[in-house]
Amino acid sequence: MTIYEVAAKAGVSASTVSRVFNGVKVSPELIPLVRQAAQELDFTPNQSARSLRTRTSDVIGLIVADIENPFFTSLARGVEDTARAAGYSVMLGNSDEEESKEREYLDVALSQRLAGVIIAPATDHSDVSTLLAQNCPVVAVDRTLADADVDSVIVNNAAGGRAATDVLLQQGFRRIACVVGPSSTQTADDRARGWHDAMTKFDPTFDADAYLMHASNHVPGGREAFGLLLALPEPPDAIFVGHNLMAIGVLEALVETGRTPYEFGVSVFGDLPFVGLVPPGIHLISLPARELGEMAARVLLERIAGDTQPPRTIVLGTPWHPRLIGAPRSA
Amino acid sequence: MTIYEVAAKAGVSASTVSRVFNGVKVSPELIPLVRQAAQELDFTPNQSARSLRTRTSDVIGLIVADIENPFFTSLARGVEDTARAAGYSVMLGNSDEEESKEREYLDVALSQRLAGVIIAPATDHSDVSTLLAQNCPVVAVDRTLADADVDSVIVNNAAGGRAATDVLLQQGFRRIACVVGPSSTQTADDRARGWHDAMTKFDPTFDADAYLMHASNHVPGGREAFGLLLALPEPPDAIFVGHNLMAIGVLEALVETGRTPYEFGVSVFGDLPFVGLVPPGIHLISLPARELGEMAARVLLERIAGDTQPPRTIVLGTPWHPRLIGAPRSA
DNA sequence: GTGAAAGCGCTAACAA
DNA sequence: TTGTTAGCGCTTTCAC
C-alpha cells in the first residue's frame, strides 16, 4: 500500500494524498475522498520513507540505567506520557549501568536518526558527541554529563542528603552512618556530601570517614553495607540510605536483627515502592521521578522543535520535605 | 555522511561499502579500507533508508499493560535482553490496560514497519489483524488473543489458582476468599476458576460466590477488596490473591487490622517485589515473568526469521510450587 | 569481485 | 490549489 495507490483510487496525485496526511492545505472536498480511499486500502504511511525524505522522525530514545528500578519506571512513564501526548513514541534502552551497553543504544539512536534522546547516563563522561554532531538533541536526566553541553534535569542530591541527615539529628541520633552507591558516581557522591556537611556542621569532631559506606545500587548492596556497619567497633545509631533499592536491603537486615527504625534511625533519599509494608518510623524524602521524566521530555521536545537557547540545568524537587512513615517516635 | 562519501574516500563504489557493512563477500583487502574511511567520516548507516529499501527493520515493539508493575518490567527485561542479543532494539509502549492507547501503539508499529510485535493484550479481542495483514509477526504474552491466530506465551493461571488455594487448605483454612482482577479478563477469570475448583472439590457445599471478589489491578484494589471481605457476615479465614499489586494492598490492610498471615491465611499468585519486607507466613507462587519475555522474544525472532509453522501456545511455569515466606506456622 | 543504475515510498520545489 | 519531478540513502539486480 503506497501513497500512489491511494492517489489512483481517489483520483488525485500522490502529493495531494501526502498533503492530506500532513495537514497541508487542500481543497476541502478532496479530503474525504482521500481518507476514504486510504481507509479502503488499509493504507498506513511508511515512516521509513518519510524519515528518509524529511530527515526527521517521531521517535525519541530513552536510555535508563535499570528498568527494574521503580525510580526509572516512573521516570520512563513520565517521559512516555509526555512524548505520546506530543505525538512521539519512545524507544527504550537499558544500559544496566554499563557504558558498553549504553554505547550500543546511543549507536542505535544514531542509526535510527531518532528525533532526540533522553539519557540517564551510566557515567558522567558518557559520550553523546556523535549524536550532537548529527543535530540529535540530548537531554541528561537524573545525572549530568560532564563532557557535553546539553540540558540536564536533575535533583539537588546534596540538599537531599543534608535534609535526610538533619531529620535524624533532630530525632536525637548522633552516630549517623551513610550508605550510598558506588563512589565517584555523581549522585552517590553528592548525597554523601550532603550527609557529611550536615554531620560535621552539627559536630565538627564527627569521624565521617568511618561511617560512610559505598555499595552497589541493589537490595543486597544495602544489606551488606548494614552488616558491615553493625560490625564496627562503635556501630552507628542511625543510618541515611541514599538509594531506594539499597534501603530495602538495609530495612530487611534491620528487621532481621530485631531492631526498629524508632530505636535505630533510618532515613532514605528516594521512594520506597509499596511503602505500606515498610516498617514504620523511617523518614523518607520522595524523589519526583515521574516529574523528572516529564520535564526531560518537555525540554527535549522544545529542542526538537528548534529551541536554541543555551543548555540549561533544571533542578527539581528542592526544598526537600522528609516524611515520617507511621506514627511519631513517642507513640 | 552517506555511503557515497565513504565510497569516495575509500576509492570504491557505494555497493562495495554497502557490502562491507552487510557482511557480503568482498575482497579482503578492501574491508579495512572501507572501515577506515567510514571511521574517519563518522559514518553511521541510515536505517530509514535501509528499511525503506529492504522492507525490514531491526526494531521490535513491546506493548505492555502497566510498565510500573514489576511483573511487566521483568518481562520487558527478558524481551529486551533477548532481542538485544540478536541485534534488535525494542520500542516500548504502555497501554495502561486501555484499548485506545493499545491501538495507538499498534498503529505506530505498523507505520514504523517494525520487524515484529510482542503484546500483552489489554483485552482478549484486541485487534492485531492490521499487523498480520502486513506480515508483521505478533506474539501474545501473558494473555491470549481470541480473534487472532498468533503465537502465545502464557502461564497456566487456573492451575496457579488451584495450587495457591490448595496450600491454604492444607494449612487448615476453610473459608478461603479469592481476590482477582476485573471479571471477564482472562487471567483473572482463570485464576478464580482454579480457586473455585479447588474449593468445591474440597467442599462441594462451599458458597464460592460469596467469597469471590473482583477488583482493579492495583494496590488500592486489593485493599478495598480485603475490607469488603472482612465486612461479610461470615468473613473468610484466608485469602487467595491473584495479582501482585493487589496482594500488597491486601497485606497492608491485613497488617493494619493487626492480623498475621499465620492466623489469616494468605496466598499469592505472582511475585511480591522486595519480598524481604513482606510479613512472614504468606504463600507465594512465583510467576516466571522474565522467562515469559525471553520466550516471547525467542518465538518472535523465529517468526521474523521466517518460521511458518502453525501458531503455538507455549505454557510456562507449571507445575506450580508454592513457597512459604518466613518460618512455618508452628514457629 | 566490483560498479552502474534503478527504485523502495515519501515530500518539497517548482510549474501549471 | 494541484500535479510533475527529483531525490532522500540505501540495497540489489545486472553487466562487466
Side-chain angles (χ1 to χ4, degrees), chain A residues 7-304:
Chain A
K9 179 151 198 146
V12 299
S13 77
S15 344
T16 301
V17 178
S18 168
R19 290 186 182 111
V20 169
F21 273 87
N22 290 293
V24 179
K25 196 154 172 50
V26 155
S27 327
E29 68 270 24
L30 290 183
I31 298 178
L33 265 177
V34 171
R35 292 225 174 275
Q36 172 83 21
Q39 177 105 39
E40 284 170 16
L41 292 171
D42 270 338
F43 168 76
T44 318
N46 184 323
Q47 288 294 339
S48 303
R50 185 166 202 289
S51 283
L52 176 60
R53 177 66 230 228
T54 62
R55 302 149 168 287
T56 66
S57 122
D58 44 16
V59 179
I60 68 174
L62 172 63
I63 304 177
V64 298
D66 178 7
I67 188 58
E68 297 192 77
N69 182 336
F71 170 74
F72 285 115
T73 3
S74 295
L75 190 153
R77 187 62 197 273
V79 170
E80 205 216 359
D81 289 350
T82 306
R84 211 181 62 92
Y88 285 80
S89 306
V90 178
M91 264 193 64
L92 183 78
N94 200 54
S95 73
D96 245 340
E97 304 273 15
E98 288 174 29
E99 261 188 281
S100 59
K101 278 200 195 180
E102 181 178 86
R103 182 74 256 157
E104 278 183 43
Y105 282 112
L106 289 170
D107 289 342
V108 168
L110 198 57
S111 66
Q112 302 279 347
R113 305 293 192 269
L114 298 189
V117 170
I118 297 173
I119 181 173
T123 75
D124 65 358
H125 54 274
S126 294
D127 177 23
V128 298
S129 60
T130 46
L131 295 175
L132 298 176
Q134 306 275 346
N135 290 315
C136 171
V138 172
V139 173
V141 69
D142 184 46
R143 317 170 185 184
T144 57
L145 244 19
D147 309 334
D149 200 23
V150 300
D151 296 296
S152 311
V153 182
I154 55 173
V155 297
N156 188 331
N157 287 298
R162 225 173 297 127
T165 307
D166 281 339
V167 70
L168 291 175
L169 286 168
Q170 280 156 28
Q171 298 294 310
F173 297 107
R174 289 300 172 259
R175 281 194 312 287
I176 304 173
C178 170
V179 180
V180 292
S183 72
S184 83
T185 64
Q186 215 176 94
T187 47
D189 288 347
D190 287 350
R191 290 168 196 186
R193 185 158 48 80
W195 159 81
H196 184 275
D197 289 354
M199 289 308 289
T200 54
K201 183 177 174 195
F202 183 86
D203 170 13
T205 72
F206 180 70
D207 180 14
D209 289 345
Y211 293 100
L212 171 59
M213 307 258 353
H214 290 281
S216 78
N217 281 336
H218 291 294
V219 175
R223 192 177 257 283
E224 286 154 24
F226 185 78
L228 291 172
L229 286 169
L230 280 201
L232 248 36
E234 211 172 10
D237 61 357
I239 189 169
F240 155 58
V241 192
H243 189 265
N244 58 351
L245 299 189
M246 286 204 290
I248 305 276
V250 165
L251 290 171
E252 286 177 9
L254 182 86
V255 168
E256 279 167 23
T257 65
R259 291 174 171 80
T260 78
Y262 292 111
E263 315 141 27
F264 190 99
V266 178
S267 69
V268 178
F269 190 49
D271 284 283
L272 259 24
F274 316 120
V275 75
L277 290 175
V278 155
I282 70 177
H283 300 269
L284 225 57
I285 297 188
S286 280
L287 277 172
R290 192 197 170 95
E291 289 76 10
L292 281 167
E294 288 172 350
M295 181 58 85
R298 222 170 298 141
V299 172
L300 185 69
L301 290 169
E302 282 170 17
R303 290 293 179 190
I304 292 171

